[in-house]
Amino acid sequence: MARSRFGEPVGDQIEVCPVTQTQDIIAGKWKIIILWNLSVQTRRFNELQRLLPNISKGILTRQLRELEEDQMVHREVYKEVPPKVEYSLTPLGQSFIPILQSMGEWSKKNLVSK
């Protein structure tokens, strides 16, 4: 379940705005970037870590677990030696990609490059 900034499950809060649940799901410095990278293809943990060089292993693990808990990301564990784990978008996660694309377009139109 999504976490809220107040520490309560989203369902226990009074809805202030219709985007509150979405905000709770994608809140986190890296979640949008993780979702974007998974929109391109299924990735292994180390691949994601290479694509996000400033993220720590612990934070990446936590963000992936939260996205999995919120049913945005699927974690597939293969019984191999060494262990192989892949992350991909669920149908719910895939349904969020047009929103990410819109955010990118908005950024291109409205923000000046640094």
Side-chain angles (χ1 to χ4, degrees), residues 44 51 58 61 66 75 94 96:
R44 293 181 72 175
L51 291 166
T61 298
E66 289 175 5
R75 181 175 183 260
Q94 291 170 352
F96 191 71

Side-chain angles (χ1 to χ4, degrees), residues 42-47 74-87:
T42 297
R43 308 254 188 206
R44 293 181 72 175
F45 184 89
N46 287 338
E47 266 185 285
H74 173 71
R75 181 175 183 260
E76 183 73 32
V77 180
Y78 296 91
K79 294 178 182 171
E80 298 178 359
V81 177
K84 177 181 173 182
V85 179
E86 292 183 336
Y87 295 90

Side-chain angles (χ1 to χ4, degrees), residues 34-92:
I34 291 168
L35 291 169
W36 181 256
N37 279 293
L38 292 177
S39 75
V40 176
Q41 67 185 53
T42 297
R43 308 254 188 206
R44 293 181 72 175
F45 184 89
N46 287 338
E47 266 185 285
L48 286 169
Q49 199 166 25
R50 278 193 299 275
L51 291 166
L52 309 167
N54 296 324
I55 193 170
S56 72
K57 190 175 188 174
I59 296 295
L60 179 57
T61 298
R62 184 175 347 144
Q63 301 266 286
L64 284 165
R65 284 184 182 155
E66 289 175 5
L67 287 167
E68 184 182 8
E69 184 179 314
D70 290 327
Q71 300 176 355
M72 297 289 281
V73 168
H74 173 71
R75 181 175 183 260
E76 183 73 32
V77 180
Y78 296 91
K79 294 178 182 171
E80 298 178 359
V81 177
K84 177 181 173 182
V85 179
E86 292 183 336
Y87 295 90
S88 60
L89 294 180
T90 63
L92 182 63

